[in-house]
Amino acid sequence: MVLEPVYEQDFLDCSYGFRPGRNAHQALDALWKGLMDIGGGWVIDLDIQDFFGSMERTHLNAFLDQRVRDGVIRRVLGKWMQAGVMDEGVIRYPERGSPQGAVISLASNIYLHEVLDTWFEREVKPRLLRGRAFLVRFADDATDGLRAGRRRSTGVEGPAQAPGALGVDPAPREDLTGGLSQSGRGQCDRAVRGQP
């Protein structure tokens, strides 16, 4: 697709789904290396709840406005985003969400790059004092690894643009923290969600 070279240079190394030269095996390898690097800590397996069905198109359009000015490309993307979905023989046209498929997967990567990947790098990682963290994302599934010291006192209650504010609910799918105490789990959850 024409937009792939434009955005591929911006995507962070933590993203593996639907990208040229990247695959699930590489994502698993990055996960293993990340876990070995932090030497223990917390692992949070995230599932973006109903991502393809609930993605906010207005936010995607705002992200596209930053880089894509070509009207023809924007119209094609707009038509693809508004394509109907056949369910039990009936076509419906949802107001939110995105169709799933190889062509439109770039749009979902653009969205999650802006909403999740950059948020994790800019908001979560700096909040960890003497801590290390990593994110590995494949499409709408992500795994965070955190080895946190104390939280850094920033004087800010939370990030300005947390994923929930942009229509993404990164709910923990499983508790993979093992024998971590309740207070440790709470600290980890607050660090990821940007809360004190």
Side-chain angles (χ1 to χ4, degrees), residues 5-177:
V6 173
Y7 282 99
E8 189 60 34
Q9 63 187 341
D10 294 343
F11 290 152
L12 301 177
D13 285 338
C14 64
S15 169
Y16 289 87
F18 311 116
R19 291 183 59 195
R22 289 179 166 247
N23 59 47
H25 294 287
Q26 293 169 324
L28 289 171
D29 188 48
L31 177 61
W32 182 83
K33 286 178 181 173
L35 290 170
M36 295 301 106
D37 182 50
I38 66 172
W42 301 315
V43 175
I44 303 170
D45 186 21
L46 296 175
D47 179 43
I48 312 255
Q49 292 184 345
D50 190 29
F51 172 69
F52 290 100
S54 64
M55 182 172 65
E56 286 288 342
R57 294 178 188 166
T58 55
H59 295 309
L60 176 62
N61 286 329
F63 300 145
L64 289 170
D65 286 343
Q66 296 172 14
R67 299 288 302 270
V68 182
R69 304 271 184 222
D70 187 284
V72 173
I73 293 173
R74 293 299 297 271
R75 278 192 298 280
V76 169
L77 280 173
K79 287 180 180 182
W80 187 273
M81 294 295 291
Q82 295 173 7
V85 177
M86 184 174 286
D87 187 22
E88 296 181 12
V90 178
I91 297 177
R92 59 183 180 85
Y93 299 92
E95 297 289 320
R96 299 177 72 186
S98 163
Q100 295 183 45
V103 175
I104 204 65
S105 295
L106 178 63
S108 64
N109 269 337
I110 293 168
Y111 193 91
L112 288 171
H113 166 75
E114 295 291 339
V115 174
L116 183 62
D117 302 350
T118 56
W119 169 79
F120 189 83
E121 288 294 318
R122 293 180 186 160
E123 299 289 341
V124 174
K125 286 174 99 173
R127 290 172 180 266
L128 302 173
L129 184 64
R130 293 184 312 221
R132 292 178 285 173
F134 69 92
L135 171 74
V136 175
R137 182 177 61 78
F138 192 93
D140 65 332
D141 295 304
T143 300
D144 300 331
L146 300 157
R147 181 175 181 115
R150 297 186 323 255
R151 282 181 33 93
R152 185 182 306 269
S153 175
T154 61
V156 177
E157 289 302 308
Q161 294 272 327
L166 293 171
V168 173
D169 183 13
R173 179 174 30 212
E174 293 181 44
D175 180 5
L176 302 175
T177 55

